[in-house]
Amino acid sequence: MDVAEKINLQNVAVTSDFWNRYRELVVKEVLPYQWKVMNDEANISIAEDPQNNGRDQNSHAIANLKIAAGQMTGHHYGFPFQDTDVYKWLEAAAYSFGYHPNPDLKKITDNLIDLIADAQDDDGYLSTFFQIDAPERKFKRLQQSHELYTMGHYIEAGVAYYQATGNQKALSIATRMADCIDNHFGLDDGKIPGYDGHPEIELALSRLYEQTGTKKYLDLAHYFLNQRGQDPDFFTKQDKADGWDNEILPGMRDLPKTYYQAAEPIVDQKTADGHAVRVVYLCTGMAYVARFTGDKGLLEACHRFWNDIVHRRMYITGNIGSTTTGEAFTYDYDLPNDTMYGETCASVGMSFFARQMLNIEAKGEYGDILEKELFNGALSGMALDGKHFFYVNPLEADPVASKGNPGNSHVLTHRADWFGCACCPANLARLITSVDQYLYTVNGNTILSHQFISNDATFNDGIEIHQTNHFPWSGDIHYQISNPNHGTFKLGIRIPSWSTKYDLKIGGVTKSLPVQEGFIYLDVAAKSLTIDLQLDMSTKMMRASNRVESDFGKIAVQRGPIIYAAEQADNQAPLWLYHVNSEAKTSYHYDDKLLNGVGVIKVAANREQIDPDGISLYQPAQPATDTPVDMTLIPYYAWANRENGQMRVWLNS
């Protein structure tokens, strides 16, 4: 194979102890648990979910499909997008077959495909809320209906299931859905000149095009992106025609157009505004379509949105969404820690966006953010037992505030069994089971290795890359490359932005290579090659830009990719009494018995003496009485797995 030929990635087997524990947890605990929940067979409590929206202990998601299929009688229960809980679960199961074949689970999923096929209308339409209770309102209130969002999630699942199992029916359901949508939407006479209020279909259609090569699916995705915001009053016109007060989701009608990314065409939008998950799903679709079509306007929009999110609207953990009102972005540098939202789905969606940007251009920052999400913002969404979940991921929490202040009531200090709106658990499950697809990006004859998750990867022409490490606890990364046919290719390895220095040995010989846009590159032509990369894993005291009011005068602690947090389980409350100097002494050790094995940081701090009860609420200022102490910090993703108590990422300096 010469340098001009294209390399293809064939398979990646994850060998990381850290990630394999999570991947096996999804197979053994998460998928069975969620299947029981969706079949209303699990003993769950949604009551403690502050946003349960009046839902009781049932999901009813499978029952909705059975009713639509004529196998049961009854009414639809849950949100109009309740079907997506099933589809994301199915997608997660499909990915799991790649590393954990499970005949019993496959019987369930094959039967589920049959059920979904039976529920689908003859014209390809499938959204059980409208099929069961409102057939006359199909595509009539797109601002709220989530119909294309719902079908998009099946299309993603159908593609994944076909790729994993070869099940043709799964793919046929997806293509029939897409054909139905194509028959109803567009600028031709008789078609609907609109789009869904919740972006998703754009990225789903791109995946379907990628699988089938059918260009009309890419054209349809391109249409939805270009049409969004062309008529800012499209949703209002539909709402009035459907009946102004005949809402599907009460309150959605009154949200601003920016909430739906519909106030103006995408190519004119300057900032990432509105519902955070919608924004990053939209961005993922834009990046997909820009890559396939070469649309420069969409690519420029991707860059604008990326820069606004990452450099002005993202938390240090990778979480996004500053307010519970609309689960949305607010304005640049508005990053409150105790009332933030940081929805798990938004971090998962940001991972999707970063991956697609890596497919377009080799820029280390995309890999940095993907890594940040994988090890912090997204992973926090699931407890270590795989049966409890966060919807909201705060950077500061106090059980007293969550219980006593309505403004903090959306912040849970322990993970819930389930949610009335249960989008997050299965979304995180599908990310974890597909993490093998996030480690390499191949472009022509260049292989980018941008994630340090141990794996065995095989490419065409016999090329194999074996990466071993104890990441994220150790920065010693070893590559063994097998190239039996002496093909010539380029290997790019990301040097993370948190690693201020690195040491590199190629074939045992120390080398120094320039960092280009976050990557080092080497040409590989030998039959075999070893690479040893040592990253800087020193503990770092981090500060936010002083444009961020909420973090002014505070520091956060980071080691490698991991953001650390202080918990009441390790430190006497209240945590706001501690002061940590930016030059404070730290120590690190790995504790294999704590929280399934984590790196622990001790940091020298001073703790103020708490005022005695009954002292005057306000008094003359005087020097505080401090006591030197050692604070114990654990990885942010692992908080709230022990006793219920306070937590802080940003510490007073």
Coordinates of all heavy atoms in Angstrom, one line a residue, residues 9-70:
L9 N -10.4 1.8 8.7 CA -10.5 1.2 10.1 C -11.5 0.1 10.0 O -12.6 0.2 9.6 CB -10.9 2.3 11.1 CG -11.1 1.8 12.5 CD1 -9.8 1.2 13.1 CD2 -11.6 3.0 13.4
Q10 N -11.1 -1.1 10.5 CA -11.9 -2.3 10.4 C -12.5 -2.6 11.7 O -13.7 -3.0 11.8 CB -11.1 -3.5 9.8 CG -10.7 -3.2 8.4 CD -9.9 -4.3 7.8 OE1 -9.2 -5.1 8.5 NE2 -9.9 -4.5 6.5
N11 N -11.8 -2.6 12.8 CA -12.3 -3.0 14.1 C -11.4 -2.4 15.2 O -10.2 -2.3 15.1 CB -12.3 -4.5 14.2 CG -13.0 -4.9 15.5 OD1 -14.2 -4.7 15.7 ND2 -12.2 -5.6 16.4
V12 N -12.1 -2.0 16.3 CA -11.4 -1.6 17.5 C -12.0 -2.3 18.7 O -13.2 -2.3 19.0 CB -11.6 0.0 17.8 CG1 -10.9 0.4 19.1 CG2 -11.1 0.8 16.6
A13 N -11.1 -3.0 19.4 CA -11.5 -3.7 20.6 C -10.9 -2.9 21.8 O -9.7 -2.8 22.0 CB -10.9 -5.1 20.6
V14 N -11.8 -2.4 22.7 CA -11.4 -1.7 23.9 C -10.8 -2.7 24.9 O -11.4 -3.6 25.2 CB -12.5 -0.9 24.4 CG1 -12.1 -0.2 25.8 CG2 -13.0 0.2 23.5
T15 N -9.6 -2.4 25.4 CA -9.0 -3.2 26.4 C -8.8 -2.5 27.7 O -8.2 -3.0 28.7 CB -7.6 -3.7 25.9 OG1 -6.8 -2.6 25.5 CG2 -7.8 -4.6 24.6
S16 N -9.2 -1.2 27.8 CA -9.0 -0.4 29.0 C -9.8 -1.0 30.1 O -11.0 -1.2 30.0 CB -9.5 1.0 28.6 OG -9.8 1.7 29.8
D17 N -9.2 -1.2 31.3 CA -9.9 -1.6 32.4 C -11.0 -0.6 32.9 O -12.1 -1.0 33.2 CB -8.9 -1.8 33.6 CG -8.0 -3.0 33.4 OD1 -8.3 -3.9 32.6 OD2 -6.9 -3.1 34.1
F18 N -10.6 0.7 32.8 CA -11.5 1.7 33.2 C -12.8 1.7 32.3 O -13.9 1.6 32.9 CB -10.9 3.1 33.0 CG -11.7 4.3 33.4 CD1 -11.6 4.8 34.7 CD2 -12.6 4.8 32.5 CE1 -12.3 5.9 35.1 CE2 -13.4 5.9 32.9 CZ -13.2 6.5 34.2
W19 N -12.7 1.6 31.0 CA -13.8 1.6 30.2 C -14.5 0.3 30.1 O -15.8 0.2 29.9 CB -13.5 2.2 28.8 CG -13.4 3.7 28.9 CD1 -12.2 4.4 29.0 CD2 -14.4 4.6 29.0 NE1 -12.5 5.8 29.1 CE2 -13.9 5.9 29.1 CE3 -15.8 4.5 28.9 CZ2 -14.7 7.1 29.2 CZ3 -16.6 5.6 29.0 CH2 -16.0 6.9 29.2
N20 N -13.8 -0.8 30.1 CA -14.4 -2.1 30.1 C -15.3 -2.3 31.3 O -16.4 -3.0 31.2 CB -13.4 -3.2 29.9 CG -13.0 -3.4 28.5 OD1 -13.7 -3.0 27.6 ND2 -11.9 -4.1 28.2
R21 N -15.0 -1.8 32.4 CA -15.9 -1.9 33.6 C -17.2 -1.2 33.3 O -18.3 -1.8 33.5 CB -15.3 -1.3 34.8 CG -16.0 -1.7 36.1 CD -15.7 -0.8 37.3 NE -16.3 0.5 37.2 CZ -17.6 0.7 37.5 NH1 -18.4 -0.3 37.9 NH2 -18.2 1.9 37.3
Y22 N -17.2 0.0 32.7 CA -18.4 0.7 32.3 C -19.2 -0.1 31.2 O -20.4 -0.2 31.2 CB -18.1 2.1 31.9 CG -18.0 3.0 33.1 CD1 -16.8 3.5 33.5 CD2 -19.2 3.5 33.7 CE1 -16.7 4.3 34.6 CE2 -19.1 4.4 34.8 CZ -17.8 4.8 35.2 OH -17.8 5.6 36.3
R23 N -18.4 -0.6 30.2 CA -19.1 -1.2 29.1 C -19.7 -2.5 29.5 O -20.9 -2.9 29.1 CB -18.1 -1.5 28.0 CG -17.8 -0.2 27.2 CD -16.5 -0.2 26.5 NE -16.3 -1.1 25.4 CZ -16.8 -0.9 24.1 NH1 -17.4 0.2 23.9 NH2 -16.6 -1.8 23.2
E24 N -19.1 -3.3 30.4 CA -19.7 -4.5 31.0 C -20.9 -4.1 31.9 O -21.9 -4.8 32.0 CB -18.7 -5.3 31.7 CG -17.7 -6.0 30.7 CD -18.4 -7.0 29.8 OE1 -19.4 -7.6 30.1 OE2 -17.9 -7.0 28.6
L25 N -20.7 -3.0 32.6 CA -21.8 -2.6 33.5 C -23.1 -2.3 32.7 O -24.2 -2.6 33.1 CB -21.4 -1.3 34.3 CG -22.4 -0.8 35.3 CD1 -22.5 -1.7 36.5 CD2 -21.9 0.6 35.8
V26 N -22.9 -1.7 31.5 CA -24.1 -1.4 30.7 C -24.7 -2.7 30.2 O -26.0 -2.8 30.3 CB -23.7 -0.6 29.4 CG1 -24.8 -0.5 28.4 CG2 -23.2 0.8 29.8
V27 N -23.9 -3.7 29.9 CA -24.5 -5.0 29.4 C -25.2 -5.7 30.6 O -26.3 -6.2 30.4 CB -23.4 -5.9 28.8 CG1 -23.9 -7.3 28.6 CG2 -22.9 -5.3 27.5
K28 N -24.6 -5.8 31.7 CA -25.0 -6.6 32.8 C -26.1 -5.9 33.7 O -26.9 -6.6 34.3 CB -23.9 -7.0 33.7 CG -22.9 -7.9 33.0 CD -21.6 -8.2 33.8 CE -20.6 -9.1 33.1 NZ -19.4 -9.3 33.8
E29 N -26.0 -4.6 33.8 CA -26.9 -3.9 34.7 C -27.8 -2.9 33.9 O -29.0 -2.9 34.1 CB -26.1 -3.1 35.8 CG -25.3 -4.0 36.7 CD -26.1 -4.9 37.6 OE1 -27.3 -4.7 37.7 OE2 -25.6 -5.9 38.1
V30 N -27.2 -2.0 33.2 CA -28.0 -0.9 32.6 C -29.0 -1.3 31.6 O -30.2 -0.9 31.7 CB -27.0 0.2 31.9 CG1 -27.8 1.3 31.3 CG2 -26.0 0.7 32.9
L31 N -28.6 -2.1 30.6 CA -29.6 -2.5 29.6 C -30.7 -3.4 30.2 O -31.9 -3.1 29.9 CB -28.9 -3.3 28.5 CG -28.0 -2.4 27.6 CD1 -27.2 -3.3 26.6 CD2 -28.7 -1.3 26.9
P32 N -30.5 -4.4 31.1 CA -31.6 -5.1 31.7 C -32.5 -4.3 32.5 O -33.7 -4.4 32.5 CB -30.9 -6.2 32.5 CG -29.5 -6.4 31.9 CD -29.2 -5.0 31.4
Y33 N -31.9 -3.3 33.3 CA -32.6 -2.5 34.2 C -33.5 -1.6 33.3 O -34.7 -1.4 33.6 CB -31.7 -1.6 35.0 CG -32.3 -0.6 35.9 CD1 -33.1 -0.9 37.0 CD2 -32.2 0.8 35.5 CE1 -33.7 0.1 37.8 CE2 -32.8 1.8 36.3 CZ -33.6 1.4 37.4 OH -34.2 2.4 38.1
Q34 N -33.0 -1.0 32.3 CA -33.8 0.0 31.5 C -34.9 -0.8 30.7 O -35.9 -0.2 30.5 CB -32.9 0.7 30.5 CG -31.9 1.7 31.2 CD -31.1 2.5 30.3 OE1 -31.2 2.5 29.1 NE2 -30.2 3.4 30.9
W35 N -34.6 -2.0 30.3 CA -35.6 -2.8 29.7 C -36.8 -3.0 30.6 O -38.0 -2.9 30.2 CB -35.0 -4.1 29.2 CG -36.0 -5.0 28.4 CD1 -36.5 -6.2 28.9 CD2 -36.7 -4.8 27.2 NE1 -37.4 -6.7 27.9 CE2 -37.5 -5.8 26.9 CE3 -36.6 -3.7 26.3 CZ2 -38.3 -5.9 25.7 CZ3 -37.3 -3.8 25.1 CH2 -38.2 -4.9 24.9
K36 N -36.5 -3.4 31.8 CA -37.6 -3.5 32.8 C -38.4 -2.2 33.0 O -39.6 -2.3 33.1 CB -37.0 -4.0 34.2 CG -36.5 -5.5 34.2 CD -36.0 -5.9 35.5 CE -35.6 -7.3 35.5 NZ -35.0 -7.7 36.9
V37 N -37.6 -1.1 33.1 CA -38.3 0.2 33.3 C -39.3 0.4 32.1 O -40.4 0.8 32.3 CB -37.3 1.3 33.4 CG1 -37.9 2.7 33.3 CG2 -36.5 1.2 34.7
M38 N -38.8 0.2 30.9 CA -39.6 0.5 29.7 C -40.8 -0.4 29.6 O -41.8 -0.1 29.0 CB -38.8 0.5 28.5 CG -37.7 1.6 28.4 SD -36.8 1.7 26.9 CE -36.1 0.1 26.8
N39 N -40.7 -1.6 30.2 CA -41.8 -2.5 30.3 C -42.7 -2.4 31.5 O -43.5 -3.2 31.8 CB -41.3 -4.0 30.1 CG -40.9 -4.3 28.7 OD1 -41.8 -4.7 27.9 ND2 -39.7 -4.2 28.3
D40 N -42.4 -1.4 32.3 CA -43.1 -1.1 33.6 C -43.0 -2.3 34.5 O -44.0 -2.6 35.3 CB -44.6 -0.8 33.3 CG -44.8 0.3 32.3 OD1 -44.0 1.3 32.4 OD2 -45.7 0.3 31.5
E41 N -41.9 -2.9 34.6 CA -41.6 -4.1 35.5 C -40.6 -3.8 36.6 O -40.3 -4.6 37.4 CB -41.1 -5.3 34.6 CG -42.1 -5.8 33.6 CD -41.5 -6.8 32.7 OE1 -40.3 -7.0 32.8 OE2 -42.3 -7.4 31.9
A42 N -40.1 -2.5 36.6 CA -39.1 -2.2 37.6 C -39.7 -1.4 38.7 O -40.7 -0.6 38.5 CB -38.0 -1.4 37.0
N43 N -39.2 -1.6 39.9 CA -39.8 -0.8 41.1 C -39.0 0.5 41.2 O -38.0 0.6 41.8 CB -39.6 -1.7 42.3 CG -40.1 -1.0 43.6 OD1 -41.0 -0.1 43.4 ND2 -39.6 -1.3 44.7
I44 N -39.5 1.5 40.4 CA -38.8 2.7 40.4 C -39.6 3.8 41.0 O -40.9 3.7 41.1 CB -38.4 3.1 38.9 CG1 -39.7 3.3 38.1 CG2 -37.4 2.1 38.3 CD1 -39.4 3.9 36.7
S45 N -39.0 4.9 41.4 CA -39.7 6.1 41.9 C -39.3 7.3 41.1 O -38.1 7.7 41.0 CB -39.4 6.3 43.3 OG -39.9 7.6 43.8
I46 N -40.3 7.9 40.4 CA -40.0 9.1 39.6 C -40.4 10.3 40.5 O -40.1 11.5 40.2 CB -40.8 9.1 38.3 CG1 -40.4 7.9 37.4 CG2 -40.6 10.4 37.5 CD1 -41.1 7.8 36.1
A47 N -41.1 10.1 41.6 CA -41.6 11.2 42.4 C -40.5 12.1 42.9 O -40.7 13.3 43.0 CB -42.3 10.6 43.7
E48 N -39.3 11.6 43.1 CA -38.2 12.5 43.6 C -37.5 13.3 42.5 O -36.7 14.2 42.7 CB -37.1 11.7 44.4 CG -36.3 10.7 43.5 CD -35.3 10.0 44.3 OE1 -35.3 10.1 45.5 OE2 -34.5 9.3 43.7
D49 N -37.9 13.0 41.2 CA -37.4 13.8 40.1 C -38.2 15.1 40.1 O -39.4 15.1 39.9 CB -37.7 13.0 38.8 CG -37.4 13.8 37.6 OD1 -36.8 14.9 37.7 OD2 -37.9 13.4 36.5
P50 N -37.5 16.2 40.4 CA -38.3 17.5 40.5 C -38.9 17.9 39.2 O -39.7 18.8 39.2 CB -37.2 18.5 40.9 CG -35.9 17.9 40.5 CD -36.1 16.4 40.6
Q51 N -38.5 17.2 38.1 CA -39.1 17.6 36.8 C -39.9 16.4 36.2 O -39.9 16.2 35.0 CB -38.0 18.1 35.9 CG -37.3 19.3 36.4 CD -36.1 19.7 35.6 OE1 -36.3 20.5 34.7 NE2 -35.0 19.1 35.9
N52 N -40.6 15.7 37.1 CA -41.3 14.5 36.6 C -42.5 14.9 35.8 O -43.1 14.0 35.2 CB -41.6 13.6 37.8 CG -42.6 14.2 38.8 OD1 -43.7 14.6 38.4 ND2 -42.3 14.2 40.1
N53 N -42.9 16.1 35.9 CA -44.0 16.6 35.0 C -45.3 15.8 35.3 O -46.1 15.6 34.3 CB -43.6 16.6 33.6 CG -42.5 17.5 33.2 OD1 -42.7 18.7 33.1 ND2 -41.3 17.0 33.1
G54 N -45.5 15.4 36.5 CA -46.7 14.7 36.8 C -46.7 13.2 36.4 O -47.7 12.5 36.6
R55 N -45.6 12.7 35.9 CA -45.6 11.3 35.5 C -45.5 10.4 36.8 O -44.9 10.8 37.8 CB -44.3 11.0 34.7 CG -44.6 11.1 33.2 CD -45.1 12.4 32.7 NE -45.4 12.5 31.3 CZ -45.9 13.6 30.7 NH1 -46.1 14.7 31.4 NH2 -46.2 13.6 29.4
D56 N -46.0 9.2 36.7 CA -46.0 8.3 37.9 C -44.8 7.4 37.8 O -43.8 7.7 37.3 CB -47.3 7.6 38.1 CG -47.7 6.8 36.9 OD1 -46.8 6.4 36.1 OD2 -48.9 6.4 36.7
Q57 N -45.0 6.2 38.2 CA -43.8 5.2 38.3 C -43.7 4.5 36.9 O -42.8 3.7 36.8 CB -44.0 4.2 39.4 CG -43.9 4.9 40.8 CD -43.9 3.8 41.9 OE1 -44.3 2.7 41.7 NE2 -43.4 4.2 43.0
N58 N -44.5 4.8 35.9 CA -44.4 4.0 34.7 C -43.7 4.7 33.6 O -43.7 6.0 33.5 CB -45.8 3.7 34.2 CG -46.5 2.6 35.1 OD1 -45.8 1.8 35.7 ND2 -47.8 2.7 35.3
S59 N -43.1 4.0 32.7 CA -42.5 4.5 31.5 C -43.6 4.3 30.3 O -43.8 5.2 29.6 CB -41.3 3.7 31.1 OG -40.9 3.9 29.8
H60 N -44.1 3.1 30.2 CA -45.2 2.8 29.3 C -44.6 2.8 27.8 O -45.4 2.7 26.9 CB -46.4 3.7 29.4 CG -47.7 3.1 29.1 ND1 -48.2 2.1 29.8 CD2 -48.6 3.4 28.1 CE1 -49.4 1.8 29.3 NE2 -49.6 2.5 28.2
A61 N -43.3 2.9 27.6 CA -42.8 3.1 26.3 C -43.0 1.9 25.4 O -43.3 2.1 24.2 CB -41.3 3.4 26.4
I62 N -42.8 0.7 25.9 CA -43.1 -0.5 25.1 C -44.6 -0.7 24.9 O -45.1 -1.0 23.8 CB -42.5 -1.8 25.8 CG1 -41.0 -1.6 25.9 CG2 -42.9 -3.0 25.0 CD1 -40.3 -1.6 24.6
A63 N -45.4 -0.4 25.9 CA -46.8 -0.5 25.8 C -47.4 0.5 24.7 O -48.3 0.1 23.9 CB -47.5 -0.1 27.1
N64 N -46.8 1.6 24.6 CA -47.2 2.6 23.5 C -47.0 1.9 22.1 O -47.9 2.0 21.2 CB -46.4 3.9 23.6 CG -46.8 4.7 24.8 OD1 -47.9 4.6 25.3 ND2 -45.9 5.6 25.2
L65 N -45.9 1.3 21.9 CA -45.6 0.6 20.7 C -46.6 -0.6 20.4 O -47.1 -0.8 19.3 CB -44.2 0.1 20.6 CG -43.1 1.1 20.4 CD1 -41.7 0.6 20.8 CD2 -43.1 1.7 19.0
K66 N -46.9 -1.3 21.5 CA -47.9 -2.4 21.3 C -49.2 -1.9 21.0 O -50.0 -2.5 20.2 CB -47.9 -3.2 22.6 CG -46.6 -4.0 22.8 CD -46.7 -4.9 24.1 CE -45.4 -5.7 24.3 NZ -45.5 -6.5 25.5
I67 N -49.6 -0.8 21.6 CA -50.9 -0.2 21.2 C -51.0 0.3 19.8 O -51.9 0.0 19.0 CB -51.3 1.0 22.2 CG1 -51.4 0.5 23.6 CG2 -52.5 1.7 21.7 CD1 -51.5 1.6 24.6
A68 N -49.9 0.9 19.3 CA -49.8 1.4 17.9 C -49.8 0.2 17.0 O -50.3 0.3 15.9 CB -48.6 2.2 17.7
A69 N -49.3 -0.9 17.4 CA -49.2 -2.1 16.6 C -50.5 -3.0 16.6 O -50.6 -4.0 15.9 CB -48.0 -3.0 17.0
G70 N -51.4 -2.5 17.5 CA -52.7 -3.3 17.6 C -52.6 -4.5 18.5 O -53.5 -5.3 18.5

